[in-house]
Amino acid sequence: MNVLVWFKRDLRPHDHPALARAAGLGAVMPLYIVEPEYWHLPDTSARQWAFTAEALADLREGLGALGAPLILRVGEAVSVLDRLCRQHHIARILSHEETGNLWTYARDRRVAAWARGAGVIWEELPQQGVIRRLGSRNGWAGQRDAFVGGPQVAAPAALRAVPGVEPGAIPSARALRLADDPCAHRQAGGRQHGLALLDSFLTQRGEPYRAAMSSPLTGERACSRLSAHLALGTLSSREVVQAAAARAAERPGGRWPGALASFQSRMAWRDHFIQKLESEPRIEIRALHRAADQLRPLAPDAARLAAWEAGETGLPFLDACMRYLRATGWLNFRMRSMVMAVASYHLWLDWRATGAVLARRFTDYEPGIHWPQVQMQAGVTGINTIRIYNPVKQGHDQDPTGAFTRRWVPELAAVPDPFLQEPWKWPGARAVLGRLYPEPIVDVAAAARAAREACWGLRKERGFREEVAEVIERHASRADPRFVNDRSPRPRRRADAAQMSLDL
């Protein structure tokens, strides 16, 4: 029997149940389809493709060593699959369940319809602690833990390739006609880079994780930096969870126990949020609480949106974070929350527009985490507290020396330290603002006050709380110490900040 293994967001040979099953059935055709329509969506980008292309090259080498190099085709999925199955007498396709964006959800429905009509068996296997067709959140955490705690699936010792198949080239971003997207400090893709990061985090970099993850100064090194590898599946979440558990079992001293516990908790939160999108794919375009869809203008203020995206708002720390993101493809968790919250509250921009900007900037874009988190920071879930970050205060708290702000906003070199985060208060501001650097596009305090009044006003409207109960039933966490306060509209404790954005 010839079996096709369709790789998507699972670019690894190890702990790959679909590949392992296929190896036991017959000759294997490992396939990745480059879908041009997907790569021209508002939430995808050339930086993501560059990371993906590196991962594909690494996967091709790994599969080639096993005997069946990766086959690459460019085109629409149904057409590609239909042609290959006909040409090579394939009646069975194996892949992993994918929780992607709304476009991939619609594509998979088309593929399923084609497979039924063509008489091709398409079997999808789970690859993480996310459960398809979940009826209720009750008991979900236990099911998730059972999966990630289960045995890893070793890569096949060897693969028998389907003969006579041209491998196909990995196209460049230019060949795909992707918009130019310079990202000078982007992470490198491929499983070998992911394994190196996992090892260095668990043995060297990770000890200050719990305290250092909040600041862009310290988070760049202290965070695991595994998020892009998990998003694309060059590492499996199960092997990461088990590696962290094994390290904790060694009982390392110092700050390691707290760091490893925090990391494990965030890995659990990762599956928790992806489950939300799996259960409700339209989270990408529709607010969890329907009344909140009318909170902000659907057509965002174009000038404000452009200034925010470019890091030209006149709010120094916010601009520094957005410029850093543009240059690296990554941002630490608290700053992800801050840039989204300021866009939503102070600039009063619709979450769908700003969410798409961040999605294509993040090399580690994971739709199942991203869109629920975007809604959470925009205050449109109905079940989470309204958290309005003050960008000036965040600058003082997270960049106390001003080193990060000065690096990414060099126009402020002449501004004295006491005025760096509020240069409009500096007596010499006229020499800089409006010339080298823009005036602030909003009054921070006044904008926050107006947003707070509008958001709490919506929550007081008739019928709001009744729909909250429905959202809690569908998406909120249950009684598990790792998932506290996921459903309370009341202000949460400081410790709850750990769930704000799961970049790991």
Side-chain angles (χ1 to χ4, degrees):
M1 178 191 297
N2 291 342
V3 183
L4 188 152
V5 178
W6 182 13
F7 284 85
K8 293 188 274 186
R9 298 169 68 88
D10 51 356
L11 304 184
R12 63 185 184 277
H14 175 75
D15 198 24
H16 197 290
L19 180 65
R21 181 173 296 187
L25 294 175
V28 177
M29 181 190 293
L31 173 71
Y32 183 86
I33 306 173
V34 183
E35 300 166 275
E37 184 179 344
Y38 171 82
W39 289 104
H40 286 86
L41 294 173
D43 56 341
T44 60
S45 61
R47 67 183 58 194
Q48 294 167 4
W49 170 248
F51 186 89
T52 301
E54 291 166 356
L56 290 170
D58 184 271
L59 178 62
R60 172 168 278 179
E61 182 178 349
L63 292 174
L66 297 176
L70 181 68
I71 306 302
L72 220 82
R73 293 293 183 268
V74 178
E76 190 272 328
V78 169
S79 298
V80 170
L81 292 170
D82 183 67
R83 183 167 57 254
L84 288 173
C85 288
R86 289 177 184 273
Q87 290 176 346
H88 301 283
H89 310 290
I90 293 170
R92 191 178 194 92
I93 297 173
L94 289 171
S95 72
H96 284 147
E97 295 173 347
E98 179 184 18
T99 305
N101 62 10
L102 197 56
W103 187 93
T104 65
Y105 175 72
R107 175 255 276 144
D108 282 356
R109 289 172 65 90
R110 293 194 302 272
V111 170
W114 160 79
R116 287 192 298 269
V120 174
I121 298 171
W122 178 26
E123 184 178 1
E124 297 177 274
L125 306 177
Q127 68 158 334
Q128 56 192 359
V130 175
I131 301 167
R132 185 157 288 184
R133 291 176 287 278
L134 182 68
S136 169
R137 273 293 182 132
N138 294 330
W140 171 83
Q143 296 177 70
R144 178 263 174 193
D145 290 349
F147 182 89
V148 298
Q152 297 177 39
V153 180
L159 294 171
R160 180 161 59 92
V162 174
V165 187
E166 175 64 31
I170 300 174
S172 66
R174 177 173 293 184
L176 292 174
R177 299 183 179 179
L178 302 185
D180 190 36
D181 184 25
C183 188
H185 305 287
R186 176 183 61 80
Q187 284 184 259
R191 178 169 172 79
Q192 298 312 310
H193 288 287
L195 289 171
L197 284 171
L198 178 61
D199 178 72
S200 67
F201 174 70
L202 293 179
T203 61
Q204 303 168 34
R205 297 183 294 110
E207 185 174 6
Y209 176 71
R210 176 174 278 182
M213 70 170 80
S214 294
S215 170
L217 288 165
T218 53
E220 181 176 307
R221 174 173 172 78
C223 287
S224 76
R225 305 305 303 274
L226 295 173
S227 51
H229 294 279
L230 288 165
L232 206 55
T234 54
L235 300 179
S236 78
S237 60
R238 179 159 53 190
E239 69 177 313
V240 170
V241 167
Q242 293 184 15
R247 174 65 170 142
E250 296 173 0
R251 295 185 173 277
R255 292 177 287 175
W256 277 110
L260 294 169
S262 291
F263 181 72
Q264 289 280 52
S265 177
R266 293 173 76 79
M267 287 297 294
W269 273 111
R270 182 178 187 274
D271 285 342
H272 167 70
F273 277 101
I274 296 175
Q275 184 67 58
K276 295 190 181 199
L277 186 62
E278 176 64 40
S279 299
E280 192 163 341
R282 296 181 69 82
I283 284 177
E284 180 183 335
I285 60 173
R286 187 176 63 194
L288 281 177
H289 196 295
R290 289 185 291 271
D293 264 335
Q294 310 304 317
L295 187 59
R296 300 175 179 89
L298 291 179
D301 182 298
R304 287 188 176 189
L305 179 62
W308 174 78
E309 181 175 4
E312 297 285 349
T313 66
L315 304 173
F317 188 61
L318 171 69
D319 291 343
C321 288
M322 292 300 289
R323 295 180 189 190
Y324 173 84
L325 172 59
R326 182 173 58 199
T328 67
W330 183 85
L331 196 58
N332 68 304
F333 87 93
R334 186 178 292 276
M335 299 307 90
R336 294 184 188 218
S337 302
M338 188 269 290
V339 299
M340 186 64 206
V342 173
S344 300
Y345 296 114
H346 298 84
L347 305 185
W348 207 238
L349 299 171
D350 185 72
W351 58 272
R352 283 157 284 229
T354 51
V357 170
L358 293 179
R360 59 180 176 262
R361 286 275 194 249
F362 290 144
T363 309
D364 61 5
Y365 172 49
E366 173 66 74
I369 296 174
H370 182 76
W371 292 109
Q373 286 285 324
V374 160
Q375 288 207 27
M376 192 172 171
Q377 301 310 322
V380 297
T381 67
I383 64 173
N384 302 105
T385 193
I386 296 169
R387 185 180 290 269
I388 302 179
Y389 285 74
N390 182 326
V392 174
K393 182 178 185 301
Q394 288 297 309
H396 288 303
D397 291 349
Q398 306 303 335
D399 186 22
T401 69
F404 179 81
T405 303
R406 290 193 183 281
R407 178 182 178 187
W408 295 100
V409 191
E411 305 96 304
L412 300 178
V415 179
D417 287 348
F419 299 100
L420 179 62
Q421 300 302 341
E422 298 175 279
W424 53 89
K425 292 185 176 180
W426 177 42
R430 288 187 178 181
V432 175
L433 301 188
R435 298 188 180 193
L436 302 178
Y437 184 68
E439 298 270 3
I441 61 176
V442 293
D443 179 296
V444 172
R449 186 165 52 251
R452 189 175 293 108
E453 290 173 357
C455 292
W456 284 110
L458 176 68
R459 294 190 173 208
K460 294 176 183 177
E461 290 184 2
R462 179 177 298 177
F464 187 91
R465 284 197 168 274
E466 286 73 11
E467 189 170 337
V468 166
E470 297 177 18
V471 177
I472 287 174
E473 179 60 30
R474 293 197 308 272
H475 296 292
S477 57
R478 298 302 190 256
D480 187 301
R482 294 167 299 180
F483 305 131
V484 294
N485 293 334
D486 182 43
R487 57 185 180 178
S488 172
R490 297 183 298 276
R492 292 176 293 179
R493 298 187 301 273
R494 186 178 182 85
D496 301 331
Q499 65 168 288
M500 286 297 98
S501 185
L502 303 179
D503 57 86
L504 301 173

